[in-house]
Coordinates of all heavy atoms in Angstrom, one line a residue:
L1 N 245.9 139.5 80.9 CA 244.9 138.5 80.5 C 245.2 137.1 81.0 O 244.3 136.4 81.3 CB 244.7 138.6 79.0 CG 244.1 139.9 78.4 CD1 244.1 139.8 76.9 CD2 242.7 140.1 78.9
H2 N 246.5 136.8 81.0 CA 246.9 135.5 81.5 C 246.5 135.3 82.9 O 246.0 134.2 83.3 CB 248.4 135.3 81.3 CG 248.9 134.0 81.8 ND1 248.7 132.8 81.1 CD2 249.5 133.6 82.9 CE1 249.2 131.8 81.7 NE2 249.7 132.3 82.9
A3 N 246.6 136.4 83.7 CA 246.2 136.3 85.1 C 244.7 135.9 85.3 O 244.3 135.3 86.3 CB 246.5 137.6 85.8
L4 N 243.9 136.3 84.4 CA 242.4 136.0 84.5 C 242.1 134.6 84.1 O 241.1 134.0 84.4 CB 241.6 136.9 83.6 CG 241.6 138.4 84.0 CD1 240.8 139.2 83.0 CD2 241.2 138.6 85.4
A5 N 243.0 134.0 83.3 CA 242.7 132.7 82.7 C 243.1 131.5 83.4 O 242.5 130.4 83.3 CB 243.3 132.6 81.3
H6 N 244.2 131.5 84.2 CA 244.8 130.3 84.8 C 245.0 130.4 86.3 O 246.0 130.9 86.7 CB 246.1 130.0 84.1 CG 246.0 130.0 82.6 ND1 245.4 128.9 81.9 CD2 246.4 130.8 81.6 CE1 245.5 129.1 80.6 NE2 246.0 130.3 80.4
P7 N 244.1 129.9 87.1 CA 242.8 129.4 86.8 C 241.9 130.6 86.6 O 242.3 131.7 87.0 CB 242.4 128.6 88.1 CG 243.2 129.2 89.2 CD 244.5 129.7 88.5
P8 N 240.7 130.4 86.1 CA 239.8 131.5 85.8 C 239.5 132.4 87.1 O 239.4 131.9 88.2 CB 238.5 130.8 85.4 CG 238.9 129.5 84.9 CD 240.1 129.1 85.8
A9 N 239.5 133.7 86.9 CA 239.2 134.7 87.9 C 238.3 135.7 87.4 O 238.2 136.0 86.2 CB 240.5 135.3 88.4
A10 N 237.6 136.4 88.3 CA 236.6 137.4 87.9 C 237.3 138.7 87.5 O 236.8 139.5 86.8 CB 235.7 137.7 89.1
G11 N 238.6 138.9 88.0 CA 239.3 140.1 87.7 C 240.7 140.0 88.2 O 241.1 139.0 88.8
A12 N 241.5 141.1 87.9 CA 242.8 141.2 88.4 C 243.0 142.7 88.7 O 242.5 143.5 88.1 CB 243.8 140.8 87.3
V13 N 243.8 142.9 89.8 CA 244.0 144.3 90.3 C 245.5 144.5 90.6 O 246.1 143.6 91.2 CB 243.1 144.6 91.4 CG1 243.4 143.8 92.7 CG2 243.1 146.1 91.8
L14 N 246.0 145.7 90.3 CA 247.4 146.0 90.7 C 247.5 146.1 92.2 O 246.7 146.7 92.8 CB 247.8 147.3 90.0 CG 249.3 147.7 90.3 CD1 250.2 146.8 89.5 CD2 249.5 149.2 90.0
V15 N 248.5 145.5 92.7 CA 248.8 145.7 94.2 C 250.2 146.4 94.3 O 251.2 146.0 93.6 CB 248.9 144.3 94.9 CG1 249.3 144.4 96.3 CG2 247.6 143.6 94.7
D16 N 250.2 147.5 95.0 CA 251.4 148.3 95.1 C 252.4 147.7 96.0 O 252.2 146.6 96.6 CB 251.0 149.8 95.5 CG 250.5 149.9 96.9 OD1 250.8 149.0 97.8 OD2 249.9 151.0 97.2
D17 N 253.6 148.3 96.2 CA 254.7 147.8 96.9 C 254.4 147.7 98.4 O 255.1 147.1 99.2 CB 256.0 148.5 96.6 CG 255.9 150.0 96.9 OD1 254.8 150.5 97.1 OD2 257.0 150.6 96.9
A18 N 253.3 148.4 98.9 CA 252.9 148.3 100.3 C 251.8 147.3 100.5 O 251.3 147.1 101.6 CB 252.5 149.7 100.8
G19 N 251.4 146.5 99.4 CA 250.4 145.5 99.5 C 249.0 146.0 99.4 O 248.0 145.3 99.7
R20 N 248.8 147.3 99.0 CA 247.4 147.8 98.8 C 247.0 147.7 97.4 O 247.7 147.9 96.5 CB 247.5 149.3 99.2 CG 247.7 149.6 100.7 CD 247.6 151.1 100.9 NE 248.6 151.8 100.1 CZ 249.8 152.2 100.6 NH1 250.2 152.0 101.8 NH2 250.6 152.9 99.8
E21 N 245.7 147.2 97.3 CA 245.1 147.2 96.0 C 244.9 148.6 95.4 O 244.5 149.5 96.1 CB 243.7 146.5 96.0 CG 243.8 145.0 96.4 CD 243.7 144.8 97.9 OE1 243.7 145.7 98.7 OE2 243.6 143.6 98.3
Q22 N 245.2 148.7 94.2 CA 245.0 150.0 93.5 C 243.8 149.8 92.5 O 243.9 149.3 91.4 CB 246.2 150.4 92.7 CG 247.4 150.7 93.6 CD 247.1 151.9 94.5 OE1 246.6 152.9 94.1 NE2 247.5 151.8 95.8
W23 N 242.6 150.0 93.0 CA 241.4 149.6 92.4 C 241.1 150.2 91.0 O 240.4 149.7 90.2 CB 240.2 149.9 93.3 CG 240.3 149.0 94.6 CD1 240.5 149.5 95.8 CD2 240.1 147.6 94.7 NE1 240.6 148.4 96.7 CE2 240.3 147.3 96.0 CE3 239.9 146.6 93.8 CZ2 240.3 146.0 96.5 CZ3 239.8 145.3 94.2 CH2 240.0 145.0 95.6
L24 N 241.8 151.4 90.8 CA 241.6 152.0 89.4 C 242.5 151.3 88.4 O 242.4 151.7 87.2 CB 241.9 153.5 89.5 CG 241.0 154.3 90.4 CD1 241.5 155.8 90.5 CD2 239.6 154.3 89.8
V25 N 243.3 150.4 88.8 CA 244.2 149.7 87.8 C 243.9 148.2 87.9 O 244.5 147.4 88.6 CB 245.7 149.9 88.2 CG1 246.6 149.3 87.1 CG2 246.0 151.4 88.4
G26 N 242.9 147.8 87.1 CA 242.5 146.4 87.1 C 241.8 146.1 85.8 O 241.5 146.9 85.0
M27 N 241.5 144.8 85.7 CA 240.7 144.3 84.5 C 239.7 143.3 85.1 O 240.0 142.6 86.1 CB 241.5 143.8 83.4 CG 242.3 142.5 83.8 SD 243.2 141.9 82.4 CE 244.7 142.7 82.7
W28 N 238.5 143.3 84.5 CA 237.4 142.5 85.0 C 236.7 141.8 83.9 O 236.5 142.3 82.8 CB 236.4 143.5 85.8 CG 237.2 144.3 86.8 CD1 237.7 145.5 86.5 CD2 237.6 143.9 88.0 NE1 238.4 145.9 87.6 CE2 238.4 144.9 88.6 CE3 237.4 142.7 88.8 CZ2 238.9 144.9 89.8 CZ3 238.0 142.7 90.1 CH2 238.7 143.7 90.6
R29 N 236.2 140.6 84.2 CA 235.3 139.9 83.3 C 234.0 140.7 83.3 O 233.4 141.1 84.4 CB 235.1 138.5 83.7 CG 236.3 137.7 83.6 CD 236.1 136.2 83.8 NE 237.3 135.4 83.7 CZ 237.9 135.1 82.6 NH1 237.3 135.4 81.4 NH2 239.0 134.4 82.6
V30 N 233.4 140.9 82.1 CA 232.2 141.7 82.0 C 231.1 141.2 82.8 O 230.4 141.9 83.5 CB 231.8 141.8 80.5 CG1 230.5 142.5 80.3 CG2 232.9 142.6 79.7
Q31 N 230.8 139.9 82.7 CA 229.7 139.3 83.5 C 229.8 139.5 85.0 O 228.9 139.8 85.7 CB 229.5 137.8 83.1 CG 228.9 137.6 81.7 CD 228.7 136.2 81.4 OE1 229.6 135.3 81.7 NE2 227.5 135.9 80.9
A32 N 231.0 139.2 85.5 CA 231.3 139.4 86.9 C 231.1 140.8 87.4 O 230.4 141.1 88.4 CB 232.7 138.9 87.3
L33 N 231.6 141.8 86.6 CA 231.5 143.2 87.0 C 230.0 143.6 86.8 O 229.5 144.3 87.7 CB 232.4 144.0 86.1 CG 232.5 145.5 86.4 CD1 232.9 145.7 87.9 CD2 233.4 146.2 85.5
A34 N 229.3 143.2 85.8 CA 227.9 143.6 85.6 C 227.1 143.1 86.8 O 226.2 143.8 87.3 CB 227.4 143.1 84.3
G35 N 227.3 141.9 87.2 CA 226.6 141.3 88.3 C 226.8 142.0 89.6 O 225.9 142.3 90.4
A36 N 228.1 142.4 89.8 CA 228.5 143.1 91.0 C 227.8 144.5 91.0 O 227.3 145.0 92.0 CB 230.0 143.3 91.1
L37 N 227.8 145.2 89.9 CA 227.2 146.5 89.8 C 225.7 146.4 90.0 O 225.1 147.3 90.7 CB 227.4 147.1 88.4 CG 228.8 147.6 88.2 CD1 229.1 147.9 86.7 CD2 229.1 148.9 89.0
R38 N 225.0 145.4 89.5 CA 223.6 145.3 89.7 C 223.2 145.1 91.2 O 222.2 145.6 91.6 CB 223.0 144.0 89.0 CG 222.7 144.3 87.5 CD 221.9 143.2 86.9 NE 222.6 141.9 86.9 CZ 223.5 141.5 86.0 NH1 223.8 142.3 85.0 NH2 224.1 140.3 86.1
S39 N 224.0 144.5 92.0 CA 223.7 144.2 93.4 C 224.3 145.1 94.4 O 224.1 145.0 95.6 CB 224.0 142.7 93.7 OG 225.4 142.5 93.6
Y40 N 225.2 146.0 93.9 CA 225.9 146.9 94.9 C 225.2 148.2 95.1 O 224.8 148.9 94.1 CB 227.3 147.1 94.3 CG 228.2 147.9 95.3 CD1 228.5 147.3 96.5 CD2 228.7 149.2 95.0 CE1 229.4 148.0 97.4 CE2 229.5 149.9 95.9 CZ 229.8 149.3 97.1 OH 230.6 150.0 98.0
S41 N 225.0 148.6 96.3 CA 224.4 149.9 96.6 C 225.3 150.9 97.4 O 224.9 151.9 97.8 CB 223.1 149.7 97.4 OG 223.4 149.1 98.6
G42 N 226.6 150.5 97.5 CA 227.5 151.3 98.2 C 228.1 152.4 97.4 O 227.6 152.7 96.3
D43 N 229.3 153.0 97.9 CA 229.9 154.1 97.1 C 231.4 154.0 97.1 O 232.0 155.1 97.0 CB 229.4 155.4 97.8 CG 229.8 155.6 99.2 OD1 230.5 154.7 99.8 OD2 229.5 156.6 99.8
S44 N 231.9 152.8 97.1 CA 233.4 152.7 97.0 C 233.8 151.6 96.1 O 233.1 150.6 95.9 CB 234.0 152.4 98.4 OG 233.8 151.1 98.8
L45 N 234.9 151.8 95.4 CA 235.4 150.8 94.5 C 235.8 149.5 95.3 O 235.6 148.4 94.8 CB 236.6 151.3 93.7 CG 236.3 152.2 92.5 CD1 237.6 152.7 91.9 CD2 235.5 151.4 91.5
R46 N 236.4 149.7 96.4 CA 236.8 148.6 97.3 C 235.6 147.7 97.6 O 235.6 146.5 97.5 CB 237.5 149.0 98.5 CG 237.9 147.9 99.4 CD 238.6 148.5 100.7 NE 239.2 147.5 101.5 CZ 240.3 146.8 101.2 NH1 240.9 146.9 100.1 NH2 240.8 145.9 102.1
G47 N 234.5 148.4 98.0 CA 233.3 147.7 98.3 C 232.7 146.9 97.2 O 232.1 145.8 97.3
L48 N 232.8 147.5 96.0 CA 232.3 146.9 94.8 C 233.2 145.7 94.3 O 232.7 144.6 94.0 CB 232.1 147.9 93.7 CG 231.8 147.4 92.3 CD1 230.3 146.8 92.3 CD2 231.9 148.5 91.2
L49 N 234.5 146.0 94.3 CA 235.4 145.0 93.6 C 236.0 144.0 94.5 O 236.3 142.8 94.0 CB 236.5 145.8 92.9 CG 236.0 146.8 91.8 CD1 237.1 147.7 91.3 CD2 235.2 146.1 90.7
A50 N 236.3 144.3 95.7 CA 236.9 143.3 96.6 C 236.2 142.0 96.7 O 236.8 140.9 96.7 CB 237.2 143.9 98.0
P51 N 234.8 142.0 96.8 CA 234.1 140.7 96.9 C 234.3 139.8 95.7 O 234.0 138.6 95.8 CB 232.6 141.2 97.1 CG 232.7 142.5 97.7 CD 233.9 143.1 97.1
L52 N 234.7 140.4 94.6 CA 235.0 139.6 93.4 C 236.2 138.7 93.5 O 236.5 137.9 92.7 CB 235.0 140.4 92.1 CG 233.7 141.2 91.8 CD1 234.0 142.1 90.6 CD2 232.6 140.2 91.5
R53 N 237.0 139.0 94.6 CA 238.3 138.3 94.8 C 239.2 138.3 93.6 O 239.6 137.2 93.1 CB 237.9 136.9 95.3 CG 237.2 136.9 96.6 CD 236.8 135.5 97.1 NE 237.9 134.6 97.2 CZ 237.7 133.3 97.0 NH1 236.6 132.8 96.7 NH2 238.8 132.5 97.1
P54 N 239.6 139.5 93.2 CA 240.4 139.5 92.0 C 241.8 139.0 92.3 O 242.3 138.9 93.4 CB 240.5 141.0 91.7 CG 240.3 141.7 93.1 CD 239.3 140.8 93.8
R55 N 242.5 138.5 91.2 CA 243.8 138.0 91.3 C 244.7 139.3 91.5 O 244.7 140.2 90.7 CB 244.2 137.3 90.1 CG 245.6 136.7 90.1 CD 245.8 135.4 89.5 NE 244.8 134.4 89.9 CZ 243.9 133.8 89.1 NH1 243.9 134.0 87.8 NH2 243.1 132.9 89.6
P56 N 245.6 139.3 92.5 CA 246.5 140.4 92.7 C 247.7 140.4 91.7 O 248.2 139.3 91.4 CB 247.1 140.2 94.1 CG 246.9 138.8 94.4 CD 245.7 138.3 93.6
L57 N 248.0 141.5 91.1 CA 249.1 141.6 90.2 C 250.1 142.6 90.8 O 249.7 143.7 91.2 CB 248.6 142.2 88.8 CG 247.7 141.3 88.0 CD1 247.3 142.0 86.8 CD2 248.3 140.0 87.7
G58 N 251.4 142.3 90.7 CA 252.4 143.2 91.1 C 253.2 143.6 89.9 O 252.9 143.2 88.8
V59 N 254.0 144.6 90.0 CA 254.9 145.1 88.9 C 256.3 145.0 89.4 O 256.6 144.9 90.6 CB 254.5 146.5 88.5 CG1 253.2 146.6 87.9 CG2 254.7 147.5 89.7
M60 N 257.2 144.9 88.4 CA 258.6 144.9 88.7 C 259.0 146.1 89.5 O 258.5 147.2 89.1 CB 259.4 144.7 87.5 CG 259.1 143.5 86.6 SD 259.3 142.0 87.5 CE 261.0 141.8 87.4
A61 N 259.8 146.1 90.5 CA 260.3 147.2 91.2 C 261.0 148.2 90.3 O 261.9 147.8 89.6 CB 261.2 146.8 92.4
R62 N 260.5 149.4 90.2 CA 261.2 150.4 89.4 C 260.6 151.8 89.7 O 259.6 151.9 90.4 CB 261.0 150.1 87.9 CG 259.5 150.1 87.5 CD 259.3 149.7 86.1 NE 259.9 150.6 85.2 CZ 259.2 151.5 84.5 NH1 258.0 151.7 84.7 NH2 259.9 152.3 83.7
E63 N 261.2 152.8 89.3 CA 260.7 154.1 89.4 C 260.5 154.7 88.0 O 261.2 154.4 87.1 CB 261.7 155.0 90.1 CG 261.9 154.7 91.6 CD 260.7 155.1 92.4 OE1 259.9 156.0 92.0 OE2 260.4 154.4 93.4
P64 N 259.5 155.5 87.8 CA 258.4 155.8 88.7 C 257.4 154.7 88.9 O 257.3 153.9 88.1 CB 257.8 157.1 88.1 CG 257.9 156.8 86.6 CD 259.2 156.1 86.5
R65 N 256.8 154.7 90.1 CA 255.8 153.7 90.3 C 254.5 154.0 89.5 O 254.1 155.1 89.4 CB 255.4 153.8 91.8 CG 256.5 153.5 92.7 CD 256.1 153.7 94.1 NE 257.1 153.3 95.0 CZ 257.3 153.9 96.2 NH1 256.5 154.8 96.7 NH2 258.3 153.5 97.0
P66 N 253.9 153.0 88.9 CA 252.8 153.2 88.1 C 251.5 153.5 88.8 O 250.5 153.8 88.2 CB 252.6 151.9 87.3 CG 253.3 150.9 88.2 CD 254.4 151.6 88.9
W67 N 251.5 153.5 90.2 CA 250.3 153.7 91.0 C 250.4 155.1 91.7 O 249.8 155.2 92.8 CB 250.1 152.6 92.0 CG 251.3 152.3 92.8 CD1 251.6 153.0 94.0 CD2 252.3 151.4 92.6 NE1 252.8 152.5 94.4 CE2 253.2 151.5 93.6 CE3 252.5 150.4 91.6 CZ2 254.3 150.7 93.7 CZ3 253.6 149.6 91.7 CH2 254.5 149.7 92.7
L68 N 251.2 156.0 91.2 CA 251.4 157.3 91.9 C 250.0 158.0 92.1 O 249.3 158.2 91.2 CB 252.3 158.2 91.0 CG 252.7 159.5 91.5 CD1 253.6 159.3 92.7 CD2 253.4 160.3 90.5
D69 N 249.8 158.2 93.4 CA 248.5 158.9 93.8 C 248.7 160.4 93.4 O 249.7 161.0 93.6 CB 248.2 158.8 95.3 CG 247.8 157.4 95.6 OD1 247.1 156.7 94.7 OD2 248.0 156.9 96.7
C70 N 247.6 161.0 93.0 CA 247.6 162.4 92.6 C 246.5 163.1 93.4 O 245.4 163.1 92.9 CB 247.4 162.6 91.1 SG 248.8 161.9 90.1
D71 N 246.9 163.7 94.5 CA 245.9 164.4 95.4 C 245.9 165.9 95.3 O 245.1 166.6 95.8 CB 246.1 163.9 96.8 CG 245.9 162.4 97.0 OD1 245.0 161.9 96.4 OD2 246.7 161.8 97.8
T72 N 247.0 166.4 94.6 CA 247.1 167.9 94.5 C 247.5 168.2 93.1 O 247.9 167.3 92.3 CB 248.2 168.4 95.5 OG1 249.5 167.9 95.0 CG2 247.9 168.0 96.9
A73 N 247.5 169.5 92.7 CA 247.9 169.9 91.4 C 249.4 169.6 91.2 O 249.8 169.2 90.1 CB 247.6 171.4 91.2
E74 N 250.2 169.7 92.3 CA 251.6 169.4 92.2 C 251.8 167.9 91.9 O 252.7 167.6 91.2 CB 252.3 169.9 93.5 CG 252.4 171.4 93.6 CD 251.1 172.0 94.2 OE1 250.3 171.2 94.8 OE2 250.9 173.2 94.0
H75 N 251.1 167.1 92.6 CA 251.2 165.6 92.4 C 250.9 165.3 90.9 O 251.5 164.5 90.3 CB 250.2 164.9 93.3 CG 250.6 164.9 94.7 ND1 249.7 164.5 95.7 CD2 251.7 165.3 95.4 CE1 250.2 164.6 96.9 NE2 251.4 165.1 96.7
L76 N 249.8 165.9 90.4 CA 249.4 165.7 89.0 C 250.5 166.1 88.0 O 250.8 165.4 87.1 CB 248.1 166.4 88.7 CG 247.6 166.2 87.3 CD1 247.4 164.7 87.0 CD2 246.3 167.0 87.1
E77 N 251.1 167.3 88.3 CA 252.2 167.8 87.4 C 253.4 166.8 87.4 O 253.9 166.5 86.4 CB 252.6 169.2 87.8 CG 253.7 169.7 86.9 CD 253.3 169.7 85.4 OE1 252.2 169.9 85.1 OE2 254.3 169.5 84.6
R78 N 253.7 166.3 88.6 CA 254.8 165.4 88.8 C 254.5 164.1 88.0 O 255.3 163.5 87.3 CB 255.1 165.0 90.2 CG 256.2 164.0 90.4 CD 256.5 163.8 91.9 NE 257.6 162.8 92.0 CZ 257.4 161.6 92.4 NH1 256.2 161.2 92.7 NH2 258.4 160.7 92.5
A79 N 253.3 163.6 88.1 CA 252.9 162.4 87.4 C 253.0 162.6 85.9 O 253.4 161.7 85.2 CB 251.5 162.0 87.8
R80 N 252.5 163.7 85.4 CA 252.6 164.0 84.0 C 254.1 164.0 83.5 O 254.4 163.5 82.5 CB 251.9 165.3 83.7 CG 250.4 165.2 83.7 CD 249.8 166.6 83.4 NE 248.4 166.4 83.3 CZ 247.5 167.4 83.6 NH1 247.9 168.6 84.0 NH2 246.2 167.2 83.5
R81 N 255.0 164.6 84.3 CA 256.4 164.6 83.9 C 256.9 163.2 83.9 O 257.7 162.8 83.0 CB 257.2 165.5 84.9 CG 257.0 167.0 84.7 CD 258.1 167.8 85.5 NE 258.2 167.4 86.8 CZ 257.6 167.9 87.9 NH1 256.6 168.8 87.7 NH2 257.8 167.4 89.1
L82 N 256.6 162.4 84.9 CA 257.1 161.1 85.0 C 256.6 160.2 83.9 O 257.3 159.4 83.3 CB 256.8 160.4 86.4 CG 257.5 161.0 87.6 CD1 256.9 160.5 88.8 CD2 259.0 160.7 87.5
A83 N 255.3 160.3 83.6 CA 254.7 159.5 82.5 C 255.3 159.9 81.2 O 255.4 159.0 80.3 CB 253.2 159.8 82.5
H84 N 255.6 161.1 81.0 CA 256.2 161.5 79.7 C 257.6 160.8 79.4 O 258.0 160.5 78.3 CB 256.4 163.0 79.7 CG 257.0 163.5 78.4 ND1 256.3 163.4 77.2 CD2 258.1 164.1 78.1 CE1 257.0 163.9 76.2 NE2 258.1 164.4 76.7
H85 N 258.3 160.4 80.5 CA 259.6 159.9 80.4 C 259.7 158.4 80.7 O 260.8 157.8 80.6 CB 260.6 160.6 81.3 CG 260.7 162.1 81.0 ND1 261.1 162.5 79.7 CD2 260.5 163.2 81.7 CE1 261.1 163.8 79.7 NE2 260.7 164.3 80.9
A86 N 258.6 157.8 81.1 CA 258.7 156.4 81.6 C 258.3 155.4 80.5 O 257.4 155.6 79.7 CB 257.8 156.2 82.8
D87 N 258.9 154.2 80.5 CA 258.4 153.1 79.8 C 257.4 152.3 80.6 O 257.6 152.2 81.8 CB 259.6 152.1 79.4 CG 260.5 152.7 78.4 OD1 260.1 153.6 77.6 OD2 261.7 152.4 78.6
P88 N 256.3 151.8 80.1 CA 255.4 151.1 80.9 C 256.0 149.8 81.5 O 256.7 149.1 80.8 CB 254.2 150.7 79.9 CG 254.8 150.9 78.6 CD 256.0 151.8 78.7
P89 N 255.7 149.5 82.8 CA 256.2 148.3 83.4 C 255.5 147.1 82.9 O 254.3 147.2 82.5 CB 255.9 148.5 84.9 CG 254.7 149.4 84.9 CD 254.9 150.3 83.7
A90 N 256.1 145.9 83.0 CA 255.5 144.7 82.6 C 254.8 144.1 83.9 O 255.5 143.8 84.8 CB 256.5 143.7 82.0
P91 N 253.5 143.8 83.9 CA 252.9 143.2 85.1 C 253.3 141.8 85.2 O 253.6 141.1 84.3 CB 251.4 143.3 84.7 CG 251.2 144.1 83.5 CD 252.6 144.2 82.8
V92 N 253.4 141.4 86.5 CA 253.7 140.0 86.8 C 252.7 139.5 87.9 O 252.3 140.3 88.7 CB 255.1 139.8 87.4 CG1 256.2 140.1 86.3 CG2 255.4 140.7 88.6
A93 N 252.3 138.3 87.8 CA 251.4 137.7 88.8 C 252.1 137.6 90.1 O 253.2 137.2 90.2 CB 250.8 136.4 88.3
R94 N 251.4 137.9 91.2 CA 251.9 137.7 92.6 C 251.5 136.5 93.2 O 250.4 136.0 93.0 CB 251.4 138.9 93.4 CG 252.3 140.0 93.6 CD 252.0 140.8 94.8 NE 253.0 141.8 94.8 CZ 252.9 142.9 95.6 NH1 251.9 143.0 96.4 NH2 253.8 143.8 95.6

């Protein structure tokens, strides 16, 4: 929440250790997101959210990474095992 306030921003999004925005891990001001949704006709989160110029948020380097992609059943099972044993990381502004 601090990242949205100083200076004001439409949103904040997690940026992974390779510098890629993880669009499913973000927070948005309701009015900014509602306005973007009203005027967007595309089909990607990047297309919807990137124009809002969200503040990038990084996390402290640690394992497991909180942005683990799950593209297969095996990936999902690994993520579930890791989540069961991990403490949540503390976000830091980048």
Side-chain angles (χ1 to χ4, degrees):
L1 292 174
H2 179 75
L4 295 180
H6 305 288
V13 65
L14 181 76
V15 176
D16 68 19
D17 57 349
R20 292 182 301 261
E21 293 90 354
Q22 295 296 319
W23 297 109
L24 293 176
V25 185
M27 66 178 89
W28 307 94
R29 293 192 183 276
V30 172
Q31 286 183 313
L33 185 56
L37 284 166
R38 278 192 299 275
S39 63
Y40 186 65
S41 61
D43 59 3
S44 76
L45 281 176
R46 179 180 189 70
L48 172 67
L49 300 174
L52 296 176
R53 298 177 50 213
R55 181 142 311 117
L57 296 176
V59 294
M60 303 302 282
R62 62 185 295 261
E63 290 292 331
R65 296 174 179 153
W67 55 84
L68 185 65
D69 288 329
C70 296
D71 300 319
T72 67
E74 291 81 17
H75 291 165
L76 180 58
E77 181 56 35
R78 178 174 180 257
R80 286 179 173 151
R81 283 193 312 271
L82 291 170
H84 182 64
H85 298 303
D87 293 327
V92 295
R94 263 200 179 168

